Amino acid sequence: MFPMLTLLSMFYYICLRRRSRSGTRSEVLNSRRAMESSQRSLPLSVEVEQYAKEVLDFSSHYGSENSMSYTMWNLAGMPNVFPSSGDFTQTAVFRMYGAWWEQCASTPLPFRRTAHSFHSQDYIELAFEEPVYPTALEVLETYHPGAIVQILACSLNPFSQNPPADVRWEVLWAGEPSKAVTPQARQFSPSIKQINFATNLIRLEVNSSLLEYYTELDAVILRGVKQRPVLSLYKMPLIDICDLSDSEEEREAAEALAGKSSTGNGYFDKLPYECYSSHLPSKPLSHDSSLIQLIASHLTLPDLCRLAQSCKLLQQHCYDPLQYIQLSLQPYWARLTDTSLGYLQNRCTLIQRLSLSWTGNRGAVTATGFCSFVKACGMGLVCLELACCHFLTEGCMEVIAQTCPALQELNLSSCDRLHPQAFAHIAQLTSLRRLILYRTKIEQTALLSILTFCTKLQHLNLGSCVMIEDYDVVASMLGARCRSLRSLDLWRCKNLTERGLTELVTGCRLLEELDLGWCSTLQSSSGCFLQLARRLPRLRKLFLTANRTVCDSDIEELAAHCPALQHLDILGTRMVSAASLRKLLRSCSKLLLLDVSFCSQIDARMVQELSALFPAVSIKKSFTQPGRPAKLSNRGRRTLAREQRERGD
Amino acid sequence: MLSVLSYGRLVARAVLGGLSQTDSRDYSLVTASCGFGKDFRKGILKKGMCYGDDACFIARHKSADVLGVADGVGGWRDYGVDPSQFSGTLMRTCERLVKEGRFVPSHPVGILTTGYYELLQNKVPLLGSSTACIVVLDRQSHRLHTANLGDSGFLVVRGGEVVHRSDEQQHYFNTPFQLSIAPPEAEGAVLSDSPEAADSSSFDVQLGDIILTATDGLFDNMPDYMILQELKKLKNTNYESIQQTARSIAEQAHVLAYDPNYMSPFAQFACDNGLNVRGGKPDDITVLLSIVAEYTD
């Protein structure tokens, strides 16, 4: 009976496949005919060239939320800087570069079985006026080019009221992370794949890990034709076997087929299989089966799904919940839907670490779908990554708070559409160790209640949280309640003063990483940085970016009290001299990164000199090209430096 | 929905226009600029519209025309800081704000405020201070909205007479209100006014009104009657003749500025303050001359 059924359904499947293929084949023939006819006539359509009209979504940026300096919104419209090179406010800059951030303790471990081809760290989505069949795409990179690793196009028109039945993302170009030879501007024009739909929604994904400094993007030009180009059809895209949704339905059929019989697998049946989900992980496994499991544990998720289709035994191995202890669906953001989450649900009953970052946008995953998954699988969750998940609602947060009592890590980075009230539920997750709230709309009351109850917090990111009214209150609460805090990111918090900082460093003596970049209300003259240096002997990373008041005595105090210092950023201060930097470099032998960009007393020659003396340290000195107003500032700086030298002599 | 709204607006405007007999056409500004740096490099326009330490911009957006002038405070040169960097960056930032539509035409102080806070967002530790004057023409409502901080300013001339002008804001003689970013060690010692302190006004303009926006280099050297005399020569609204007039005004002011025997408005004002001063006031001069014309796309 069963072999019969197997045979029948296989036949049915083959027929289905054949039909779909023959359908496309006739299309190809048609298109070939069309092309032949078009070759006789004049070209049908003209190429349209357009700059991005609007920035729809992005994962991070350097600038302030309410500013136009170094923010992602600068990527819309005409170029502002190109063809000049340099570090300019008018460009789009991501929050990170290099490997500095990966070295930090606050960075979570990478997920196992992440595809080697997935490099993306950040993304930006751009809408263009007119949907076109892309013929070329150019990115004007004006500073430290080479970060772009993937360019995708979407079938959805963001300006249209009626969305298409299926939202498809097609990769136009993909490459490895790279680094240009010089930081000079370049026009990046990869040869892109032709696609069979018109698009006006483009997504760039970047990886800045190899770069020497922040990459800066000025504009994106999309070229394309409005009418379907015949040539593009001629190059029929191959049927994508990696397509998760495709394999899904097959797997469904396989599931239906599997039944309970154990025949039909040939020699594979001789391999042992135990149902591990009933075992405790500590119980020793039999050798052969553990070998299969071990092999399977190295596969990427699509490979695992494909392997499951090969035979029933392997299917059992591949569906074993132990294979899904940790699962990152981030690389498959474009294909993940409620349905695919539903399929995974049965396999993920033992899941501990889950990343849904970037997934589910534009309705692919709904709040309901997510909630039912979390309700089914969330019990054991320890780590939940939800960066840029715009499907999240207050209800989702409530479900997380209720079903994941063991949750230790929660990442809500750039969930900027999540309602402020939703964050109040986080306070119920009392075992939280790591909480990322970068670029969210969390409000003070919610945050204070989180800090009251989640006293085990070790890593907290409050970067660019614009809705918090008084950071001093937050900082003193941290000092009072979260004594085990090891890393704290207060990037661009608008009103932290010495009062809050003092209470913070008095309470949280274990702090290793402190990001106070662009906290311009901190005044060095109050002695707050001196105190910070004295109270935090374990300090490894300190960012005082663009605090214009940082001075020599602060640097000397760091040199004297923070021997573990690895990363220091003092960009944009006029008050730090080469002498104190020398002292710092001498005493902090573990130093790896020192950003002295736009420090007017430290010129390029000095940086060269120091780099030669301390080759282990990467000393950064960003520049704005001559010919721009910055040239004047250079001159000004030089005069000032000369004056000081004269005064010193 | 949108189209319903826009039709509704059209109808409403037609009805209102019929009732109050106002002009339903859109106005715009035809503007020319001219200026001189103090150091005799005649009319040298540095990148980004700078004359000496002065800076200016002319920008347009779909609903408004916007002009601005800024006068970088020269005293910063003693600190090794180029004063034009501050005024130039301020004006360029305001220009970008306008071009990207990040402003409300009826709230020009907002342009100044946002522009100033953007300067603080620059990685480059900018230093300096500047006066600033922003003039916005709302094309549809025909209203001129202005914000002025310090001693730059504007005149609206109609039928050969000054019908509206900016007020000068000074702390004391020759020390205007100014936006500034001071080095930490000089904080408190440097005059710094909030951009919100800018004096704002609104004024209904008519076709043919002349708007002269300039830095104190002009107003300190040329009294109103001389400016009006020059403006009389302006006969039509094409760009060339405006440019010519702007040039002749700037040139005349420039000549007067270096005339040691000329009793300039500045010298008169100094005498009123008990200082015995004669002659013109050598300074950077920036002149933006605009005429209210019918809007043509």
Side-chain angles (χ1 to χ4, degrees), chain A residues 323-359:
Chain A
Q323 289 289 343
Y324 298 86
I325 296 290
Q326 48 173 292
L327 176 66
S328 170
L329 295 167
Q330 187 180 10
Y332 316 107
W333 60 265
R335 286 175 284 173
L336 193 77
T337 59
D338 271 354
T339 335
S340 39
L341 257 187
Y343 288 131
L344 288 166
Q345 195 167 306
N346 295 329
R347 292 170 239 172
C348 294
T349 46
L350 293 181
I351 194 161
Q352 293 179 3
R353 295 183 71 209
L354 172 68
S355 170
L356 288 172
S357 291
W358 300 8
T359 62

mmCIF file of all heavy atoms in Angstrom, chain A residues 323-359:
data_model
loop_
_atom_site.group_PDB
_atom_site.id
_atom_site.type_symbol
_atom_site.label_atom_id
_atom_site.label_comp_id
_atom_site.label_asym_id
_atom_site.label_seq_id
_atom_site.Cartn_x
_atom_site.Cartn_y
_atom_site.Cartn_z
ATOM 1 N N GLN A 323 18.813 19.446 16.544
ATOM 2 C CA GLN A 323 19.473 20.188 15.467
ATOM 3 C C GLN A 323 19.085 21.660 15.493
ATOM 4 O O GLN A 323 19.647 22.482 14.804
ATOM 5 C CB GLN A 323 19.079 19.599 14.107
ATOM 6 C CG GLN A 323 19.677 18.235 13.824
ATOM 7 C CD GLN A 323 21.171 18.305 13.557
ATOM 8 O OE1 GLN A 323 21.711 19.366 13.282
ATOM 9 N NE2 GLN A 323 21.835 17.171 13.662
ATOM 10 N N TYR A 324 18.062 21.960 16.254
ATOM 11 C CA TYR A 324 17.538 23.338 16.242
ATOM 12 C C TYR A 324 17.659 23.982 17.624
ATOM 13 O O TYR A 324 16.762 24.655 18.082
ATOM 14 C CB TYR A 324 16.075 23.337 15.779
ATOM 15 C CG TYR A 324 15.914 22.828 14.377
ATOM 16 C CD1 TYR A 324 15.797 21.470 14.129
ATOM 17 C CD2 TYR A 324 15.914 23.701 13.298
ATOM 18 C CE1 TYR A 324 15.677 20.990 12.843
ATOM 19 C CE2 TYR A 324 15.789 23.232 12.006
ATOM 20 C CZ TYR A 324 15.671 21.876 11.774
ATOM 21 O OH TYR A 324 15.555 21.413 10.495
ATOM 22 N N ILE A 325 18.755 23.692 18.276
ATOM 23 C CA ILE A 325 18.994 24.344 19.569
ATOM 24 C C ILE A 325 19.228 25.835 19.333
ATOM 25 O O ILE A 325 18.758 26.683 20.064
ATOM 26 C CB ILE A 325 20.227 23.728 20.276
ATOM 27 C CG1 ILE A 325 19.966 22.275 20.602
ATOM 28 C CG2 ILE A 325 20.572 24.519 21.528
ATOM 29 C CD1 ILE A 325 18.954 22.027 21.688
ATOM 30 N N GLN A 326 19.994 26.131 18.310
ATOM 31 C CA GLN A 326 20.132 27.528 17.924
ATOM 32 C C GLN A 326 19.858 27.676 16.441
ATOM 33 O O GLN A 326 20.262 26.847 15.641
ATOM 34 C CB GLN A 326 21.493 28.089 18.298
ATOM 35 C CG GLN A 326 22.684 27.256 17.931
ATOM 36 C CD GLN A 326 23.944 28.029 18.216
ATOM 37 O OE1 GLN A 326 24.242 29.028 17.571
ATOM 38 N NE2 GLN A 326 24.693 27.581 19.217
ATOM 39 N N LEU A 327 19.134 28.718 16.113
ATOM 40 C CA LEU A 327 18.673 28.864 14.746
ATOM 41 C C LEU A 327 18.672 30.342 14.381
ATOM 42 O O LEU A 327 18.041 31.162 15.049
ATOM 43 C CB LEU A 327 17.252 28.290 14.637
ATOM 44 C CG LEU A 327 16.548 28.420 13.295
ATOM 45 C CD1 LEU A 327 17.266 27.576 12.252
ATOM 46 C CD2 LEU A 327 15.103 27.970 13.413
ATOM 47 N N SER A 328 19.410 30.655 13.331
ATOM 48 C CA SER A 328 19.364 32.031 12.838
ATOM 49 C C SER A 328 18.660 32.046 11.499
ATOM 50 O O SER A 328 19.119 31.434 10.531
ATOM 51 C CB SER A 328 20.776 32.597 12.695
ATOM 52 O OG SER A 328 20.694 33.835 12.013
ATOM 53 N N LEU A 329 17.542 32.699 11.450
ATOM 54 C CA LEU A 329 16.805 32.813 10.193
ATOM 55 C C LEU A 329 17.105 34.126 9.496
ATOM 56 O O LEU A 329 16.528 34.436 8.465
ATOM 57 C CB LEU A 329 15.301 32.663 10.461
ATOM 58 C CG LEU A 329 14.908 31.278 10.970
ATOM 59 C CD1 LEU A 329 13.505 31.265 11.517
ATOM 60 C CD2 LEU A 329 15.037 30.244 9.847
ATOM 61 N N GLN A 330 18.037 34.882 10.051
ATOM 62 C CA GLN A 330 18.382 36.186 9.466
ATOM 63 C C GLN A 330 18.832 36.076 8.006
ATOM 64 O O GLN A 330 18.405 36.876 7.188
ATOM 65 C CB GLN A 330 19.451 36.860 10.318
ATOM 66 C CG GLN A 330 19.742 38.271 9.877
ATOM 67 C CD GLN A 330 20.812 38.932 10.727
ATOM 68 O OE1 GLN A 330 21.463 38.286 11.533
ATOM 69 N NE2 GLN A 330 20.995 40.217 10.551
ATOM 70 N N PRO A 331 19.685 35.078 7.653
ATOM 71 C CA PRO A 331 20.091 35.022 6.241
ATOM 72 C C PRO A 331 18.923 34.788 5.293
ATOM 73 O O PRO A 331 19.034 35.048 4.108
ATOM 74 C CB PRO A 331 21.059 33.833 6.205
ATOM 75 C CG PRO A 331 21.506 33.632 7.602
ATOM 76 C CD PRO A 331 20.364 34.062 8.464
ATOM 77 N N TYR A 332 17.810 34.258 5.814
ATOM 78 C CA TYR A 332 16.683 33.911 4.938
ATOM 79 C C TYR A 332 15.541 34.901 5.109
ATOM 80 O O TYR A 332 14.383 34.573 4.885
ATOM 81 C CB TYR A 332 16.234 32.480 5.246
ATOM 82 C CG TYR A 332 17.422 31.561 5.401
ATOM 83 C CD1 TYR A 332 17.802 31.084 6.650
ATOM 84 C CD2 TYR A 332 18.230 31.253 4.309
ATOM 85 C CE1 TYR A 332 18.945 30.298 6.801
ATOM 86 C CE2 TYR A 332 19.364 30.471 4.450
ATOM 87 C CZ TYR A 332 19.719 30.001 5.693
ATOM 88 O OH TYR A 332 20.848 29.251 5.836
ATOM 89 N N TRP A 333 15.868 36.134 5.517
ATOM 90 C CA TRP A 333 14.846 37.145 5.789
ATOM 91 C C TRP A 333 13.905 37.339 4.610
ATOM 92 O O TRP A 333 12.725 37.602 4.772
ATOM 93 C CB TRP A 333 15.493 38.472 6.175
ATOM 94 C CG TRP A 333 16.390 39.032 5.119
ATOM 95 C CD1 TRP A 333 17.730 38.870 5.025
ATOM 96 C CD2 TRP A 333 16.003 39.813 3.986
ATOM 97 N NE1 TRP A 333 18.214 39.483 3.908
ATOM 98 C CE2 TRP A 333 17.174 40.075 3.250
ATOM 99 C CE3 TRP A 333 14.798 40.314 3.519
ATOM 100 C CZ2 TRP A 333 17.165 40.814 2.072
ATOM 101 C CZ3 TRP A 333 14.782 41.049 2.348
ATOM 102 C CH2 TRP A 333 15.963 41.281 1.632
ATOM 103 N N ALA A 334 14.450 37.192 3.390
ATOM 104 C CA ALA A 334 13.631 37.505 2.226
ATOM 105 C C ALA A 334 12.562 36.455 1.991
ATOM 106 O O ALA A 334 11.575 36.710 1.319
ATOM 107 C CB ALA A 334 14.518 37.630 0.992
ATOM 108 N N ARG A 335 12.770 35.244 2.515
ATOM 109 C CA ARG A 335 11.862 34.167 2.180
ATOM 110 C C ARG A 335 11.029 33.705 3.365
ATOM 111 O O ARG A 335 10.132 32.902 3.213
ATOM 112 C CB ARG A 335 12.664 32.992 1.634
ATOM 113 C CG ARG A 335 13.157 33.249 0.229
ATOM 114 C CD ARG A 335 14.050 32.131 -0.235
ATOM 115 N NE ARG A 335 15.361 32.228 0.386
ATOM 116 C CZ ARG A 335 16.289 31.288 0.262
ATOM 117 N NH1 ARG A 335 16.047 30.193 -0.404
ATOM 118 N NH2 ARG A 335 17.464 31.443 0.836
ATOM 119 N N LEU A 336 11.366 34.172 4.537
ATOM 120 C CA LEU A 336 10.681 33.675 5.725
ATOM 121 C C LEU A 336 9.263 34.227 5.808
ATOM 122 O O LEU A 336 9.050 35.435 5.725
ATOM 123 C CB LEU A 336 11.461 34.052 6.984
ATOM 124 C CG LEU A 336 10.997 33.305 8.228
ATOM 125 C CD1 LEU A 336 11.531 31.888 8.221
ATOM 126 C CD2 LEU A 336 11.406 34.026 9.482
ATOM 127 N N THR A 337 8.292 33.336 5.967
ATOM 128 C CA THR A 337 6.902 33.762 6.095
ATOM 129 C C THR A 337 6.284 33.058 7.298
ATOM 130 O O THR A 337 6.919 32.203 7.920
ATOM 131 C CB THR A 337 6.084 33.366 4.856
ATOM 132 O OG1 THR A 337 6.160 31.943 4.712
ATOM 133 C CG2 THR A 337 6.615 34.019 3.600
ATOM 134 N N ASP A 338 5.065 33.430 7.575
ATOM 135 C CA ASP A 338 4.318 32.760 8.634
ATOM 136 C C ASP A 338 4.289 31.247 8.404
ATOM 137 O O ASP A 338 4.450 30.463 9.334
ATOM 138 C CB ASP A 338 2.878 33.284 8.658
ATOM 139 C CG ASP A 338 2.742 34.500 9.550
ATOM 140 O OD1 ASP A 338 3.739 34.836 10.226
ATOM 141 O OD2 ASP A 338 1.667 35.114 9.566
ATOM 142 N N THR A 339 4.097 30.876 7.129
ATOM 143 C CA THR A 339 3.998 29.462 6.801
ATOM 144 C C THR A 339 5.292 28.732 7.122
ATOM 145 O O THR A 339 5.286 27.680 7.751
ATOM 146 C CB THR A 339 3.685 29.291 5.295
ATOM 147 O OG1 THR A 339 3.040 30.472 4.846
ATOM 148 C CG2 THR A 339 2.842 28.089 5.046
ATOM 149 N N SER A 340 6.422 29.316 6.702
ATOM 150 C CA SER A 340 7.675 28.608 6.962
ATOM 151 C C SER A 340 7.978 28.557 8.457
ATOM 152 O O SER A 340 8.520 27.571 8.947
ATOM 153 C CB SER A 340 8.832 29.214 6.169
ATOM 154 O OG SER A 340 8.756 30.601 6.121
ATOM 155 N N LEU A 341 7.593 29.602 9.175
ATOM 156 C CA LEU A 341 7.751 29.564 10.629
ATOM 157 C C LEU A 341 6.916 28.429 11.204
ATOM 158 O O LEU A 341 7.356 27.716 12.112
ATOM 159 C CB LEU A 341 7.288 30.890 11.248
ATOM 160 C CG LEU A 341 8.333 31.892 11.699
ATOM 161 C CD1 LEU A 341 7.668 33.037 12.434
ATOM 162 C CD2 LEU A 341 9.404 31.266 12.551
ATOM 163 N N GLY A 342 5.735 28.273 10.635
ATOM 164 C CA GLY A 342 4.844 27.208 11.088
ATOM 165 C C GLY A 342 5.475 25.833 10.899
ATOM 166 O O GLY A 342 5.394 24.976 11.776
ATOM 167 N N TYR A 343 6.143 25.627 9.752
ATOM 168 C CA TYR A 343 6.804 24.351 9.510
ATOM 169 C C TYR A 343 7.915 24.102 10.511
ATOM 170 O O TYR A 343 8.128 22.986 10.952
ATOM 171 C CB TYR A 343 7.392 24.312 8.091
ATOM 172 C CG TYR A 343 6.360 24.200 7.021
ATOM 173 C CD1 TYR A 343 6.383 25.038 5.922
ATOM 174 C CD2 TYR A 343 5.350 23.248 7.110
ATOM 175 C CE1 TYR A 343 5.429 24.948 4.935
ATOM 176 C CE2 TYR A 343 4.393 23.154 6.124
ATOM 177 C CZ TYR A 343 4.435 23.999 5.048
ATOM 178 O OH TYR A 343 3.489 23.902 4.083
ATOM 179 N N LEU A 344 8.635 25.157 10.815
ATOM 180 C CA LEU A 344 9.778 24.994 11.709
ATOM 181 C C LEU A 344 9.336 24.738 13.149
ATOM 182 O O LEU A 344 10.087 24.197 13.950
ATOM 183 C CB LEU A 344 10.664 26.243 11.654
ATOM 184 C CG LEU A 344 11.461 26.413 10.372
ATOM 185 C CD1 LEU A 344 12.020 27.816 10.279
ATOM 186 C CD2 LEU A 344 12.589 25.399 10.305
ATOM 187 N N GLN A 345 8.128 25.147 13.432
ATOM 188 C CA GLN A 345 7.634 25.114 14.807
ATOM 189 C C GLN A 345 7.814 23.737 15.474
ATOM 190 O O GLN A 345 8.308 23.661 16.588
ATOM 191 C CB GLN A 345 6.160 25.500 14.791
ATOM 192 C CG GLN A 345 5.615 25.857 16.142
ATOM 193 C CD GLN A 345 4.265 26.527 15.988
ATOM 194 O OE1 GLN A 345 4.147 27.515 15.262
ATOM 195 N NE2 GLN A 345 3.264 25.986 16.627
ATOM 196 N N ASN A 346 7.467 22.671 14.744
ATOM 197 C CA ASN A 346 7.545 21.334 15.342
ATOM 198 C C ASN A 346 8.979 20.933 15.670
ATOM 199 O O ASN A 346 9.215 20.138 16.552
ATOM 200 C CB ASN A 346 6.955 20.301 14.383
ATOM 201 C CG ASN A 346 5.490 20.543 14.180
ATOM 202 O OD1 ASN A 346 4.812 21.032 15.091
ATOM 203 N ND2 ASN A 346 5.001 20.241 12.994
ATOM 204 N N ARG A 347 9.910 21.457 14.899
ATOM 205 C CA ARG A 347 11.308 21.062 15.082
ATOM 206 C C ARG A 347 12.005 21.887 16.154
ATOM 207 O O ARG A 347 13.081 21.556 16.594
ATOM 208 C CB ARG A 347 12.081 21.245 13.777
ATOM 209 C CG ARG A 347 11.654 20.291 12.698
ATOM 210 C CD ARG A 347 12.261 20.686 11.384
ATOM 211 N NE ARG A 347 11.231 20.943 10.390
ATOM 212 C CZ ARG A 347 11.476 21.455 9.198
ATOM 213 N NH1 ARG A 347 12.700 21.778 8.858
ATOM 214 N NH2 ARG A 347 10.498 21.657 8.347
ATOM 215 N N CYS A 348 11.416 22.993 16.516
ATOM 216 C CA CYS A 348 12.136 23.940 17.367
ATOM 217 C C CYS A 348 11.716 23.864 18.830
ATOM 218 O O CYS A 348 11.875 24.831 19.566
ATOM 219 C CB CYS A 348 11.932 25.357 16.855
ATOM 220 S SG CYS A 348 12.676 25.610 15.254
ATOM 221 N N THR A 349 11.226 22.728 19.248
ATOM 222 C CA THR A 349 10.703 22.671 20.610
ATOM 223 C C THR A 349 11.797 22.814 21.661
ATOM 224 O O THR A 349 11.519 23.114 22.810
ATOM 225 C CB THR A 349 9.961 21.349 20.837
ATOM 226 O OG1 THR A 349 10.768 20.300 20.319
ATOM 227 C CG2 THR A 349 8.626 21.360 20.134
ATOM 228 N N LEU A 350 13.048 22.560 21.260
ATOM 229 C CA LEU A 350 14.138 22.682 22.238
ATOM 230 C C LEU A 350 14.979 23.933 22.008
ATOM 231 O O LEU A 350 16.061 24.069 22.567
ATOM 232 C CB LEU A 350 15.049 21.452 22.149
ATOM 233 C CG LEU A 350 14.440 20.125 22.570
ATOM 234 C CD1 LEU A 350 15.470 19.021 22.446
ATOM 235 C CD2 LEU A 350 13.940 20.201 24.005
ATOM 236 N N ILE A 351 14.497 24.808 21.181
ATOM 237 C CA ILE A 351 15.328 25.944 20.763
ATOM 238 C C ILE A 351 15.708 26.827 21.944
ATOM 239 O O ILE A 351 14.917 27.072 22.857
ATOM 240 C CB ILE A 351 14.621 26.747 19.655
ATOM 241 C CG1 ILE A 351 15.595 27.695 18.990
ATOM 242 C CG2 ILE A 351 13.420 27.501 20.204
ATOM 243 C CD1 ILE A 351 15.141 28.186 17.650
ATOM 244 N N GLN A 352 16.975 27.245 21.923
ATOM 245 C CA GLN A 352 17.473 28.132 22.981
ATOM 246 C C GLN A 352 17.879 29.495 22.434
ATOM 247 O O GLN A 352 17.731 30.497 23.102
ATOM 248 C CB GLN A 352 18.670 27.480 23.683
ATOM 249 C CG GLN A 352 18.286 26.252 24.470
ATOM 250 C CD GLN A 352 19.472 25.604 25.132
ATOM 251 O OE1 GLN A 352 20.596 26.087 25.057
ATOM 252 N NE2 GLN A 352 19.227 24.479 25.766
ATOM 253 N N ARG A 353 18.446 29.481 21.256
ATOM 254 C CA ARG A 353 18.845 30.760 20.661
ATOM 255 C C ARG A 353 18.155 30.909 19.309
ATOM 256 O O ARG A 353 18.300 30.054 18.446
ATOM 257 C CB ARG A 353 20.364 30.828 20.461
ATOM 258 C CG ARG A 353 21.163 30.809 21.752
ATOM 259 C CD ARG A 353 22.643 30.956 21.451
ATOM 260 N NE ARG A 353 22.953 32.296 20.992
ATOM 261 C CZ ARG A 353 23.966 32.582 20.165
ATOM 262 N NH1 ARG A 353 24.725 31.626 19.709
ATOM 263 N NH2 ARG A 353 24.193 33.819 19.799
ATOM 264 N N LEU A 354 17.446 32.007 19.132
ATOM 265 C CA LEU A 354 16.719 32.222 17.894
ATOM 266 C C LEU A 354 16.982 33.625 17.387
ATOM 267 O O LEU A 354 16.910 34.596 18.139
ATOM 268 C CB LEU A 354 15.211 32.035 18.135
ATOM 269 C CG LEU A 354 14.281 32.414 16.971
ATOM 270 C CD1 LEU A 354 14.465 31.459 15.806
ATOM 271 C CD2 LEU A 354 12.828 32.415 17.416
ATOM 272 N N SER A 355 17.328 33.719 16.108
ATOM 273 C CA SER A 355 17.449 35.035 15.500
ATOM 274 C C SER A 355 16.429 35.177 14.390
ATOM 275 O O SER A 355 16.410 34.399 13.435
ATOM 276 C CB SER A 355 18.856 35.250 14.938
ATOM 277 O OG SER A 355 18.846 36.442 14.175
ATOM 278 N N LEU A 356 15.567 36.139 14.552
ATOM 279 C CA LEU A 356 14.614 36.481 13.489
ATOM 280 C C LEU A 356 14.936 37.876 12.953
ATOM 281 O O LEU A 356 14.105 38.498 12.301
ATOM 282 C CB LEU A 356 13.188 36.448 14.032
ATOM 283 C CG LEU A 356 12.602 35.066 14.347
ATOM 284 C CD1 LEU A 356 11.276 35.190 15.045
ATOM 285 C CD2 LEU A 356 12.427 34.267 13.066
ATOM 286 N N SER A 357 16.126 38.354 13.233
ATOM 287 C CA SER A 357 16.504 39.693 12.803
ATOM 288 C C SER A 357 16.276 39.870 11.306
ATOM 289 O O SER A 357 16.556 38.963 10.517
ATOM 290 C CB SER A 357 17.980 39.948 13.112
ATOM 291 O OG SER A 357 18.148 40.030 14.496
ATOM 292 N N TRP A 358 15.788 41.027 10.932
ATOM 293 C CA TRP A 358 15.548 41.471 9.557
ATOM 294 C C TRP A 358 14.368 40.760 8.907
ATOM 295 O O TRP A 358 13.995 41.065 7.781
ATOM 296 C CB TRP A 358 16.774 41.271 8.653
ATOM 297 C CG TRP A 358 17.993 41.990 9.085
ATOM 298 C CD1 TRP A 358 18.175 42.660 10.261
ATOM 299 C CD2 TRP A 358 19.219 42.129 8.368
ATOM 300 N NE1 TRP A 358 19.424 43.192 10.315
ATOM 301 C CE2 TRP A 358 20.095 42.879 9.163
ATOM 302 C CE3 TRP A 358 19.648 41.673 7.126
ATOM 303 C CZ2 TRP A 358 21.383 43.197 8.759
ATOM 304 C CZ3 TRP A 358 20.940 41.986 6.722
ATOM 305 C CH2 TRP A 358 21.799 42.745 7.540
ATOM 306 N N THR A 359 13.807 39.762 9.536
ATOM 307 C CA THR A 359 12.801 38.960 8.852
ATOM 308 C C THR A 359 11.423 39.591 8.960
ATOM 309 O O THR A 359 11.173 40.468 9.771
ATOM 310 C CB THR A 359 12.700 37.552 9.467
ATOM 311 O OG1 THR A 359 12.294 37.698 10.828
ATOM 312 C CG2 THR A 359 14.012 36.819 9.398
#
